[in-house]
Amino acid sequence: MNSHELCKKKAKELVAQMTLEEKASQLTYNSPAIKRLGIPAYNWWNEALHGVARAGTATSFPQAIGLAAIFDEEFLREVADTIAEEGRAKYNESSKHEDRDIYKGLTFWSPNVNIFRDPRWGRGHETYGEDPFLSARLGVAFIKGLQGEGEVLKAAACAKHFAVHSGPEDLRHEFNAEVSLKDLWETYLPAFEACVKEGKVESVMGAYNRTNGEPCCGSYFLLRDILRNKWGFDGHVVSDCWAIKDFHMHHMVTSTPQESAALAIDAGCDLNCGNTYLLLLQALQEGLITEEHITRAAERLFTTRFKLGLFEGSEYDQIPYEVVECKEHIELAIEAARKSAVLLKNDGILPIDKTKVKTIGVIGPNANSRRALKGNYYGTSSRYITVLEGIQDEAGDEVRILYSKGCELVKDRTEPLAYSHDRLMEAVTVAEHSDIVVLCLGLDETIEGEEMDEGNNVGSGDKKDLELPEVQRKLLEKIVAVGKPTILCLLAGSAINLSYAQEHCNGILMAWYPGARGGKAIADILFGKTSPSGKLPITFYASLDNLPPFTDYSMKNRTYRYIEEKPLYPFGYGLTYGDVICTGAVLEEPIKLNQDIKIKVSVKNRGKVATEDVVQVYIKDEESRYAVRNTSLCGFKRIHLNAGEEKEFHMMIPFESLKVVNDEGERILDSNKFTLYIGVSGADERSVELTKKEPVILPLILNCAK
């Protein structure tokens, strides 16, 4: 009997000793103790998107979208393992002191593998971007790192939000996401399927919205037909928080809380983040459910607790508190921030040569902002290093640093009694007296985030458009007008229209929300201590003009796979201080049906600087009418090359990448002719324009399609 089956057996035996009332009491997120059975209280609610969140001190990594920009499965797995290590250390201390509060358990409601299909979505920065293949690979890596490979789970991961969920935030409690079977299986489900089948994720969280008429947390199609029956999921399902009450209050698919609770548990939702399941016993009395429903859910939940070793102990019980924010973990977080930053433009201004610069002006609302480092769902850091502080530390006594906030993120004045744009003159003055300007603009969680989340003062959390706030646009224009070399450093979690900056700034660095010490990583890049190497996991559009309405879940003209016009910056794009180019690619052996494809790629760094870069492989089906409009990512590999170095790398392309999804949602092999595009950016026209590099083309011919 494997460990999972053994834990199921133990859970079944333990639950059999409980009264009906005791079993029902365990099905909400704040499960009370059952002292007569030696069961301590347990709070299931915890978060770990980019570090242990909301429970005090923890190492702060870049927000998930920044981790995605690294394009490195093994590195993300290491990050997740580190997060689990700290989670265990904190849990060990909390349980020692009988502290069973929220955010102190080992069930982390991460990762978020929803598709970032629309740049307006406020929670997009919690995801791994817009591509289902990238999201799947990174989601699996994060889960494996978080859960570990031992007999006992190091922590329990949760793939969320299942499924077809990506805004609008202000409609999520009542919204019905209508999606075709093709888009469902081609775009919205692959990451979840990989998390379940390959990642063996312990938990899945349902979404707030309805999908094709069914509330996701009570969807027989999603939770029973697909998740359990088709994919063989054997963990537990948790609702999004207070989502079940939406059934009767907003979706209007039930009439009473009892009916909502009955629908959810019957469909297969085991744990209620909320309080609707407190009415399960009433639902039972009304004949809406049976005791077996309650028993089944309790057994699934206690299986997870046994798998975590919460009753019998494990090797992880000895992890000391000293690992929390230790030197090694902090260094890993800084390295993640370095790897995640995406260089969007560089006319030669970067890296900054300290021997040739006397004064640097650091300007902007995000220059000295701790909040802009954090993203959302963050822990507390013992030290923060803002962009300003990072530059000051790196410049030392050699270079004078001048600073001006310039403006607030959104408000038109920094002091309530002042005139509007009260810091603009100071910012201009700083620019005039500087040799180079680093202009730090962007957003933070008060502008983009979850609906009514902590710190979100905009309300819905979604963006209304792709533009920087007006006060920041004015600041950008005024600083550019001074005429000094200007580097735009953008701290944000989503695509922003940078057309003006692309035309007028000398350099642009997308730093995301880089974590607590992100300012050091940014300074390391600006001054050339490390080469930038991140790649965009999302498309940067020039405007919203050609995008479908936010509420339209069709993929037409969305993301790099279906876009019909040139983007401002394409998916997969990012510059370095080196000059890496793919010089060739060959098949290593003949293609065989249902076997991964082996290719060998030759890569050279023609530049004078050592750098990391990301080899990317895109596939185009040349025959099938069901193929995506453009190309699809099917492989990636982060590499390191010294100046002038040339290497060969082996890559595996999943055979599944050759298949398409038809109108019935079936994944089929429907073509004999494919083209692989291999390079360090996308295969699109805009990527070639920006990088001045053509991808290597490798035709694939099959003789096995139906």
Side-chain angles (χ1 to χ4, degrees), residues 175-179 209-216 218-219 251 253 263:
F175 182 68
N176 181 33
E178 297 180 6
V179 62
N209 53 276
R210 281 169 288 152
T211 293
N212 292 339
E214 284 190 305
C216 294
S219 170
H251 295 308
V253 297
L263 173 59

Side-chain angles (χ1 to χ4, degrees), residues 4 92 105 136 148 168 177 251 261 284 313 354 382 445 447 483 486 504 529 537 582 616 630 647 671 681 704:
H4 178 76
N92 291 343
H251 295 308
L284 179 65
K354 287 190 288 187
S382 59
E445 67 157 344
I447 296 175
T486 300
H504 293 96
K529 292 181 73 172
C582 290
Q616 303 165 50
N630 303 316
K647 280 187 179 179
S671 177
S681 192
C704 48

Side-chain angles (χ1 to χ4, degrees), residues 12 42 65 121 126 144 176 256-257 259 266 303 309 312 321 383 387 407 409 423 514 518 569 617 624 626 640 653-654:
K12 192 176 185 72
Y42 184 76
I65 194 73
W121 185 34
E126 299 179 23
K144 287 184 174 181
N176 181 33
T256 66
E259 289 178 3
D266 188 50
T303 298
E312 298 168 325
Y321 185 75
R383 186 188 177 196
V387 180
C407 65
L409 279 182
R423 295 292 169 84
Y569 304 118
V617 184
S624 178
Y626 300 115
H640 180 277
I653 308 303

Side-chain angles (χ1 to χ4, degrees), residues 46 104 174 176-177 180 213 222 307 439 453 476 500 515 518 550 560 603 647:
N46 209 346
K104 296 177 183 177
E174 63 195 57
N176 181 33
S180 69
L222 291 173
K307 289 174 75 172
L439 182 59
D453 197 17
L476 171 61
Y500 182 88
F550 195 0
Y560 79 96
V603 189
K647 280 187 179 179

Side-chain angles (χ1 to χ4, degrees), residues 650-681:
H650 302 275
M651 298 182 69
M652 301 289 285
I653 308 303
F655 188 87
E656 284 293 303
S657 301
L658 276 60
K659 296 181 179 179
V660 293
V661 177
N662 65 19
D663 293 336
E664 286 71 48
E666 302 164 324
R667 190 169 292 276
I668 60 172
L669 187 61
D670 194 46
S671 177
N672 285 304
K673 188 177 180 183
F674 305 85
T675 305
L676 294 183
Y677 298 89
I678 304 121
V680 292
S681 192

Side-chain angles (χ1 to χ4, degrees), residues 113-375:
V113 292
N114 291 132
I115 297 299
F116 196 179
R117 66 180 177 96
D118 193 294
R120 287 164 284 200
W121 185 34
R123 297 188 74 179
H125 55 95
E126 299 179 23
T127 76
Y128 299 129
E130 69 183 37
D131 180 69
F133 179 79
L134 181 66
S135 298
R137 301 317 317 147
L138 298 183
V140 168
F142 190 89
I143 289 161
K144 287 184 174 181
L146 208 62
Q147 297 188 165
E149 298 185 37
E151 287 291 299
V152 174
L153 293 176
K154 197 170 188 178
C158 175
K160 66 184 186 184
H161 309 84
F162 190 62
V164 197
H165 177 81
S166 54
E169 284 293 297
D170 59 353
L171 298 178
R172 64 182 185 173
H173 300 286
E174 63 195 57
F175 182 68
N176 181 33
E178 297 180 6
V179 62
S180 69
L181 288 173
K182 178 173 173 60
D183 285 338
L184 180 70
W185 287 98
E186 183 181 86
T187 298
Y188 295 108
L189 293 185
F192 286 101
E193 185 173 5
C195 290
V196 170
K197 289 183 174 180
E198 190 179 345
K200 307 297 181 186
V201 71
E202 184 62 20
S203 175
V204 170
M205 176 181 282
Y208 281 110
N209 53 276
R210 281 169 288 152
T211 293
N212 292 339
E214 284 190 305
C216 294
C217 294
S219 170
Y220 292 100
F221 179 63
L222 291 173
L223 302 182
R224 183 188 63 193
D225 298 351
I226 295 177
L227 187 61
R228 298 281 183 191
N229 296 343
K230 192 175 181 68
W231 294 346
F233 177 68
D234 201 21
H236 71 268
V237 174
V238 57
S239 77
D240 210 337
C241 297
W242 282 266
I244 295 174
K245 75 174 185 178
D246 288 339
F247 294 7
H248 57 276
M249 292 185 66
H250 302 294
H251 295 308
M252 310 308 290
V253 297
T254 56
S255 299
T256 66
Q258 293 92 321
E259 289 178 3
S260 298
L263 173 59
I265 201 166
D266 188 50
C269 182
D270 307 298
L271 180 68
N272 178 199
C273 181
N275 54 18
T276 308
Y277 274 14
L278 297 177
L279 300 172
L280 279 172
L281 293 179
Q282 290 188 36
L284 179 65
Q285 292 172 356
E286 294 175 20
L288 300 172
I289 58 171
T290 66
E291 184 173 350
E292 174 54 30
H293 285 95
I294 295 171
T295 302
R296 180 184 69 183
E299 288 175 355
R300 287 172 177 167
L301 294 175
F302 276 93
T303 298
T304 297
R305 291 175 73 171
F306 273 107
K307 289 174 75 172
L308 285 164
L310 301 189
F311 299 112
E312 298 168 325
S314 75
E315 60 187 293
Y316 305 123
D317 296 347
Q318 305 310 311
I319 295 176
Y321 185 75
E322 282 71 22
V323 304
V324 176
E325 226 189 15
C326 63
K327 181 181 178 184
E328 292 78 14
H329 293 181
I330 291 169
E331 283 300 321
L332 184 66
I334 295 170
E335 183 66 14
R338 293 190 192 104
K339 292 175 183 286
S340 69
V342 183
L343 183 60
L344 299 175
K345 180 182 179 181
N346 184 19
D347 68 358
I349 193 172
L350 291 169
I352 299 170
D353 186 345
K354 287 190 288 187
T355 65
K356 297 180 179 178
V357 176
K358 293 182 178 180
T359 306
I360 299 174
V362 183
I363 299 170
N366 275 345
N368 201 32
S369 168
R370 290 185 172 185
R371 190 181 286 276
L373 302 173
K374 297 177 181 179

